[in-house]
Structure formats: structure tokens, C-alpha cells
Amino acid sequence: MSDSIKFPFYIKLTGILLCLIAIFVTLYFGQEIIAPLLLSLLFAIMLRPVVNFLIKKLRFPHFIASVFTIALFGMLFFSVIYFISLKIADMASDWENIKNNFLFHIEHFQQLIRDNFHISKNEQIQLITEATKSNLDSGKQIIGSTITSFADIILNITVIPIYTFLFLFYQNLFITFLAKLVKPENHKKLREVLFEIKNAVQSYIVGLLFEMIAVSVLTALGFYFIGIEYFILLGIITGILNLVPYIGILFAGVLSIIVSLSGSTDLSIVLGVVIVTVIVQLIDNNILVPLFVNSKVRINALVSIIGIIIGNVLGGIIGMFLAIPMIAIVKVIFDRIDFLEPWGYLFGDDLPKTTEWHKIKLPSYHYSNPAATETIFNESEQLNPIEPILPISENENKITESE
């Protein structure tokens, strides 16, 4: 006799909705604690092979291997920050030239407004002054929120390495805890889930790093050929901002236009920046992302966009960065649980990646899964067999003969 209780559909739906509401409320109000923890967990999963290498190959103790890995990761991170700061310092040393170029563009812009809208320069200055006075209070709020955000960044920079070290050091403790939560007969499935989560997260983050390097190099080369002075700095910033899906490249493009105008009085350079950004994005979306990212984490674009929007609401930029790997982890769990497997399939992407047109392979965006379609239609035909429509009398005769 089974001890399980079967609830009606509306009770199950109500329970699922209440659980989702509780999860979102917890994530929203606890984002300052949960976001650094999740980010540290991703870093720990990414750095786990380094710790295992130090333990198995170099015979490091577990504690020293974890400390050495965190120190190495911190050195790489601060090396990139130091290099960017040097480039910004070089840019700041040319401040007089930058200021003159900005004044030139502002003068040109005011001239365009006067010629097209018949607003004199004095009137423009007066409008700007009035707008500045009316927005003084909001400006103070922005400064206050900026200071708070900067304090949060400093706190996260301090806390995230500590969390990452603890995740690496107590990894066996957490695995044993998960093993105690499930029944012994489900330990094999638990190992499979953990293994797939590890592979998905590591492959995704490594793919992002390769994509970041490729976008940085391509953008820097493009800006170099069109004559932008600070092409290395803009290439690196574009690659870093591109880690934020869909949104980061827009901020990178606007920043590149502003910096390019500060280094030259020629407005045509803006067109060059736009062309380079578009070409790099076409290469990124059609070659780099399918090769390095989508091949590692099979999540469809609709779920990715919705997840990024929800991540932005719940955790800002960190939430947007965490959205894709968190969805990948949830998908792996759903795929291994029988009654949640359809949701895992919904998150996934089984579209054919390429199609051939005149012996040229192109990305395919047309859904075509003949095997699945044929299976569905075969099952529907078995449930509702299609028979020829017969007159009533013939049907009655058939029934009589069978009796």
C-alpha cells in the first residue's frame, strides 16, 4: 500500500505558485547576501580542477591548495584591473586635448540646434541651467546611491574570495550533506547531477573567457584600423562588458563613441565605431557564442532573455551575469527528475544548429524535428484512429455481424 497522497491539480498549482513567490521574495530581499554566495559558488566550481591538480599532482595539502588557488585567481584579476588603470592614467594625461575636443563637439552641437530649431546659445545655456537646478535633489540622490554601490562593490571584493575559499575547502562536506539528504538508491542519480552541473558551469565560464578574449582582440583591431587612439583600452572594456548578455555591448558601444569623440574632432569616426561594433557582434553571435557558449549550455534564447530580465530585477548586474549558469543548473536538475523533465526540455534548445544552402552552411532558426513530430502523430493516431466515414446503415450492419 502506497503512503503517497495525490492532490488535485489546483492544489498542486497553488503550491507551485506559492513556492515560486517565496523563492522570488527571498532572492529579492536577500540579494545582498545570496548574490555574492552564488557568484562565489560559480568561481569555486570553476577553480575546483586547479585545486584537484595541486592535490593530486603536486601533493599539496587541501588547505594550502585552496589558498594558493585563490591567491593565483586574485593575482590574475588584479593584474587585469592594474592594466586597465594604467591605460586610463595614460588617457587622463591627455586631458587638455580631450577637453578641447569635447568643447569642439559641444560647440558644433549647439550650432546644429541653433540652425535647425532656432534656439540661440544663450537660450540653450539658460535651459540647461534651469534643468540643472530642478534636478539638483535627484543628483544628490544619485551621488548617495553611487557611494552606496561603491561600498557594496568593496565589500563584495573582500567577501567573495573568502566565500570561494570556504566552498573549495569544505567541498567534501557539502557533497556528503547532499548525499545524506537523498536515499541511498538515488546516490547514483545524485552523482550524475553533480557531475553534469560541474561540467556545465565550468564549460560555460571557460567559454565566456574565450569569448571575452576574442571580442576584445577583434574590437581592438577594428578600432586600431579606423584610427582610435585608445583602442586597447576600449577593446578590453568591450570584452568585459560583453560578459553581461544582450545589455553589456550597448553600454560598450556608447562608451566607445564617447571616448572616440574625445580623441578626435572628426564626427565620421562615430560611423567607424558603429560599423566595427556591428561586425564584431555579428561574428560574436554567429560564430563565437555558438562555438564557445551555446555548445556548452543548451538553453533557448527565450528562456535566456526572460532569465536575464528576472536576474536584473532580483540582483542587478550580478543577477544578469548569474542568470544563465543558474538556469543551466536548474535545467540539469529538471532533466534528472521524472515529473520535472518536461520543464527541462522547455528550457533546452534542440533546434538544428546549421542548415545547408547551395553547399554553404548557415545558422538555422527553423524548427524541424521530424522524429519528434512523427512520434507525436503516431501516438495521436493510435489514440484516435482515423477511419473512413461510413453510412449509418453500414455501421449498424458491422456491429450486428460482430455480435
Side-chain angles (χ1 to χ4, degrees):
M1 182 176 178
S2 177
D3 295 333
S4 61
I5 302 175
K6 294 184 178 180
F7 293 100
F9 172 75
Y10 64 89
I11 294 181
K12 293 181 180 179
L13 180 61
T14 304
I16 292 173
L17 292 177
L18 289 176
C19 290
L20 289 176
I21 292 173
I23 291 172
F24 285 128
V25 169
T26 303
L27 291 175
Y28 181 78
F29 288 102
Q31 57 180 290
E32 295 183 359
I33 299 174
I34 297 174
L37 280 173
L38 294 178
L39 196 60
S40 302
L41 179 61
L42 292 184
F43 288 151
I45 295 175
M46 180 184 68
L47 297 174
R48 187 169 178 267
V50 180
V51 175
N52 291 338
F53 174 80
L54 295 176
I55 293 174
K56 294 179 180 179
K57 300 297 183 180
L58 302 181
R59 305 295 181 182
F60 277 31
H62 193 181
F63 177 82
I64 297 178
S66 301
V67 172
F68 184 81
T69 302
I70 296 298
L72 181 62
F73 178 72
M75 289 174 59
L76 291 175
F77 176 78
F78 285 108
S79 297
V80 174
I81 299 298
Y82 178 71
F83 181 78
I84 293 176
S85 64
L86 288 179
K87 293 299 179 181
I88 293 176
D90 293 339
M91 183 177 174
S93 63
D94 198 18
W95 173 248
E96 287 297 326
N97 187 25
I98 292 174
K99 184 176 68 174
N100 293 331
N101 291 331
F102 265 120
L103 292 176
F104 174 83
H105 292 301
I106 291 173
E107 182 76 19
H108 182 72
F109 186 67
Q110 289 178 337
Q111 185 71 27
L112 288 176
I113 293 177
R114 189 184 68 177
D115 295 339
N116 293 280
F117 300 98
H118 306 290
I119 301 176
S120 65
K121 292 183 178 180
N122 292 329
E123 292 174 343
Q124 295 178 34
I125 295 173
Q126 184 178 0
L127 291 173
I128 294 174
T129 303
E130 292 177 356
T132 303
K133 289 181 179 178
S134 62
N135 293 326
L136 184 61
D137 293 335
S138 61
K140 292 179 180 179
Q141 295 177 358
I142 293 173
I143 293 174
S145 61
T146 302
I147 294 174
T148 304
S149 300
F150 182 75
D152 291 339
I153 291 174
I154 298 298
L155 179 62
N156 290 333
I157 290 176
T158 305
V159 170
I160 287 177
I162 298 175
Y163 285 159
T164 306
F165 165 75
L166 294 176
F167 278 126
L168 290 172
F169 186 66
Y170 291 114
Q171 56 179 314
N172 293 329
L173 175 67
F174 295 125
I175 294 174
T176 306
F177 166 73
L178 294 176
K180 289 180 178 294
L181 286 179
V182 301
K183 297 179 181 180
E185 56 268 22
N186 294 326
H187 282 178
K188 181 180 179 181
K189 184 175 290 189
L190 175 63
R191 284 196 299 270
E192 294 174 354
V193 169
L194 294 177
F195 180 76
E196 290 189 15
I197 289 175
K198 176 180 71 74
N199 285 343
V201 173
Q202 288 177 355
S203 301
Y204 175 75
I205 295 180
V206 172
L208 278 184
L209 293 177
F210 278 111
E211 181 195 6
M212 180 187 69
I213 294 172
V215 169
S216 299
V217 172
L218 291 174
T219 305
L221 288 175
F223 288 165
Y224 171 77
F225 286 119
I226 65 176
I228 294 181
E229 185 174 357
Y230 309 106
F231 62 93
I232 296 178
L233 175 63
L234 292 178
I236 295 174
I237 293 177
T238 301
I240 294 174
L241 291 178
N242 194 53
L243 294 176
V244 181
Y246 305 107
I247 306 297
I249 190 62
L250 297 178
F251 290 103
V254 173
L255 181 62
S256 299
I257 291 175
I258 294 174
V259 175
S260 63
L261 289 177
S262 68
S264 174
T265 57
D266 187 7
L267 286 175
S268 63
I269 200 170
V270 175
L271 180 61
V273 171
V274 173
I275 292 174
V276 169
T277 303
V278 171
I279 292 175
V280 171
Q281 276 305 292
L282 289 175
I283 296 174
D284 181 36
N285 294 331
N286 293 281
I287 298 177
L288 299 178
V289 171
L291 182 62
F292 294 122
V293 181
N294 287 352
S295 61
K296 314 300 181 183
V297 181
R298 296 185 179 275
I299 301 173
N300 64 67
L302 177 62
V303 174
S304 299
I305 294 174
I306 295 175
I308 290 169
I309 294 173
I310 295 175
N312 180 40
V313 173
L314 296 177
I317 296 178
I318 296 179
M320 296 172 68
F321 176 76
L322 291 172
I324 302 299
M326 289 297 107
I327 294 174
I329 292 175
V330 171
K331 182 182 182 302
V332 169
I333 296 174
F334 282 2
D335 287 340
R336 291 292 176 176
I337 299 176
D338 293 336
F339 68 93
L340 293 176
E341 192 274 334
W343 295 97
Y345 177 80
L346 180 64
F347 286 3
D349 182 11
D350 65 345
L351 297 181
K353 301 304 177 187
T354 57
T355 183
E356 189 169 336
W357 179 71
H358 293 285
K359 297 182 179 180
I360 300 175
K361 289 186 176 182
L362 300 172
S364 177
Y365 303 100
H366 175 67
Y367 181 82
S368 177
N369 194 342
T373 307
E374 184 178 355
T375 303
I376 293 173
F377 279 111
N378 288 338
E379 291 177 353
S380 63
E381 289 176 1
Q382 292 175 4
L383 295 174
N384 300 304
I386 302 175
E387 295 180 356
I389 301 175
L390 300 175
I392 298 176
S393 59
E394 292 184 13
N395 282 333
E396 292 176 350
N397 291 333
K398 290 178 68 177
I399 295 171
T400 305
E401 291 175 1
S402 63
E403 292 175 351

